[in-house]
Amino acid sequence: MADTYDVAVIGAGPAGYPTAIRAAQNGLKVVCVDEWKNRDGSLAFGGTCLNAGCIPSKALLESSELVHRAQSEFAAHGIKTQGIAVDLATMQKRRASIVRTMTGGVAALFKAAGVTAVHGHGRLLSGRRVEITAPDGTRSEIAARHVVLASGSVPVELPSMRFDHQRICDSWDALEFDAVPPRLCVIGAGIIGLELGSVWRRLGSQVVILEALENFLAVADQQLAAEAARQFKRQGLDVRLGARVSGARVADGTVRVEYADARGSQSVTVDKVIVAVGRKPYAADLLAADTGVKLDEKGFISVDAECRTGAENVWAVGDCVRGPMLAHKGKEEGVAVADRIAGRYAHVNYAVIPSVIYTAPEIAWVGQTEEQVKASGTAYKTGVFPFSANGRARAMEAAVGFVKILAAGDTDSILGVHIIGPLAGELIAEATLAMEFQASAEDLQRTIHAHPTLAEALHEAALASDKRAIDNINK
Ligand code: FAD
Ligand code: AMP
């Protein structure tokens, strides 16, 4: 007879593995099946995020930013260097070692929580049976009271330029380059494109980023986006907007990328291309025909507001369902589903999910942009505070960017916070907590912030929303 579990999770990325761990914490018998295989053939838990996404990209962003700072900031601190040399092999070894530690950590977490962790491909059959194909091809079957699908996403490929993983690369390839490409073209100025473009620019590539949209960072508050565009231009990132890529020709070890903009047909010749035009949900061979689970027109697994699919006791979380493709969104959905399965209260507040772009300066936001607030017709006020007036940012030689807060004109409740500047990704946590607790701008004003800290910029932005900033002569 097939092994039976309370919960079977398919996928051990940042959506699936927290689901399994919380379900085990809730006293349930849990199995988690994952098929991830690294390019060296090793099997690892952690999904895209740990193996080929969030973690390796942040490792390289950190290393490359240190190179940039050593080249451009050390002199201002009075630190003399005699030429900075980059040892890319060591940098990449460090990245790989961080990834190995983190993915090994997931295996250890499973063990500690009592989750049965299995490497292999999972396929949902009717009646919540799951067929597991092991890496050696052997098949087995388990049954579960509940199944949670957390199969994640994969990069979108442009039909006119297929990945060859040498010249035409996806984001995973771009994290594992073993040499700095002299000329690089990134297609797509989204979060992933900007982060990867920044890494290789700092390490010495000439980088052109082609973006089909006319607006830079259309998802972000446009005041923030304008500041980001200015900073990236200063760093030598050549971002071309309104540039729709139509194809590429690989010849003589180079790639000619063809695109159209307002002036007509254009091209750029480079050594490598990173295609970063988005990600799409992944559900290959995940569902037998009679499971009752449906996909929507874009290939996402259809779920209700609580992540239930149409099939009884089958749930889906993370990148394979609607909503922002972010690790922390998938994690919260997974934990909430595990609690619902155990009969506990759970809620995911989709209106308060922070977004972070780990460029320098960092860019982070939570809640609505000014454009969204305007479109909603809500009366609002704004407070902006520049890091140039923040002592800690000055001391860090990082006094660029600003904090912007939007609050309702009548109730003063915080509608959105937008930060571009040093450690914006850390600072946004305070704004997120404030919004989660439905704080007003006045609540932030009355909260004592340690001096001198970057967080004081948020405090001052809240004060500025009532024209009471202390440290800014303009407000
Ligand atoms: P995944 O992480 O894709 O995991 C799904 C897992 O399921 C994989 O291991 C897959 O092999 C497995 N699987 C799929 N089908 C099956 C099957 N049938 N049987 C068994 N196993 C299966 N997000 C952030 O929040 N912050 C960031 O800084 C960030 N940076 C990123 C940088 C890059 C370069 C990329 C590519 C992405 C980044 N993301 C970031 C996005 C983030 O990685 C995803 O949102 C997140 O990984 C989604 O988690 P998930 O668990 O839904 O899916
Ligand atoms: P994201 O969805 O945030 O990962 O960003 C992907 C970006 O790629 C978006 O800003 C898209 O507008 C952009 N994009 C998609 N297709 C193309 C294309 N053919 N040429 C240039 N940019 C594109």
Side-chain angles (χ1 to χ4, degrees), residues 10-16 33-36 46-49 52-54 57-58 120-122 150-153 171 175 192 195 279 282 284 286 317-319 325-328 358:
I10 301 182
V33 190
D34 188 281
E35 68 180 1
W36 187 276
T48 306
C49 169
C54 322
S57 60
K58 267 78 258 182
H121 177 82
S151 53
S153 63
S171 54
L175 292 166
I192 293 174
E195 290 187 359
R279 295 180 62 80
Y282 180 74
L286 177 68
V317 295
D319 278 14
M325 286 183 163
L326 293 169
H328 42 285
Y358 295 82

Side-chain angles (χ1 to χ4, degrees), residues 123-394:
R123 181 162 177 264
L124 180 66
L125 310 175
S126 62
R128 291 184 305 280
R129 289 168 304 127
V130 177
E131 178 191 75
I132 300 174
T133 308
D136 66 3
T138 47
R139 288 190 179 176
S140 58
E141 203 175 294
I142 56 145
R145 278 200 305 119
H146 291 264
V147 174
V148 185
L149 306 169
S151 53
S153 63
V154 289
V156 170
E157 190 170 26
L158 289 173
S160 57
M161 65 202 296
R162 295 286 173 200
F163 295 127
D164 63 15
H165 303 288
Q166 294 299 322
R167 300 277 162 197
I168 315 262
C169 302
D170 64 18
S171 54
W172 191 2
D173 302 320
L175 292 166
E176 300 191 357
F177 288 165
D178 57 10
V180 178
R183 295 164 303 172
L184 178 66
C185 176
V186 180
I187 306 179
I191 298 183
I192 293 174
L194 288 169
E195 290 187 359
L196 292 173
S198 294
V199 165
W200 294 107
R201 170 76 201 113
R202 294 167 189 166
L203 295 178
S205 296
Q206 261 180 42
V207 179
V208 173
I209 304 186
L210 301 176
E211 167 55 54
L213 298 178
E214 296 287 350
N215 276 3
F216 182 60
L217 274 180
V219 290
D221 184 279
Q222 286 302 289
Q223 191 177 348
L224 212 71
E227 176 66 13
R230 201 163 40 242
Q231 295 296 336
F232 294 149
K233 192 166 178 197
R234 278 188 44 207
Q235 293 165 16
L237 276 180
D238 178 359
V239 181
R240 301 183 191 171
L241 299 174
R244 176 163 286 280
V245 172
S246 52
R249 265 177 228 181
V250 180
D252 305 326
T254 65
V255 196
R256 203 173 110 108
V257 180
E258 283 145 7
Y259 65 97
D261 64 12
R263 290 172 298 147
S265 298
Q266 313 283 345
S267 70
V268 57
T269 300
V270 292
D271 303 288
K272 277 189 194 287
V273 176
I274 304 171
V275 180
V277 296
R279 295 180 62 80
K280 60 179 183 190
Y282 180 74
D285 198 26
L286 177 68
L287 306 166
D290 54 356
T291 60
V293 176
K294 301 254 180 318
L295 303 185
D296 70 14
E297 67 285 356
K298 288 188 174 152
F300 289 100
I301 297 172
S302 298
V303 286
D304 68 10
E306 298 195 323
C307 295
R308 285 184 183 81
T309 70
E312 195 185 0
N313 290 353
V314 180
W315 312 71
V317 295
D319 278 14
C320 65
V321 304
R322 84 288 174 262
M325 286 183 163
L326 293 169
H328 42 285
K329 171 264 193 185
K331 179 180 187 183
E332 288 315 306
E333 285 181 334
V335 165
V337 162
D339 282 348
R340 284 184 193 118
I341 288 172
R344 297 183 180 199
Y345 171 77
H347 176 67
V348 175
N349 186 356
Y350 288 95
V352 184
I353 299 177
S355 293
V356 182
I357 310 180
Y358 295 82
T359 46
E362 282 187 9
I363 299 167
W365 68 91
V366 61
Q368 299 177 69
T369 61
E370 185 162 0
E371 292 72 31
Q372 287 169 330
V373 175
K374 243 186 216 153
S376 73
T378 308
Y380 69 97
K381 53 190 179 172
T382 61
V384 176
F385 187 81
F387 282 106
S388 57
N390 175 275
R392 188 72 195 280
R394 285 272 172 202

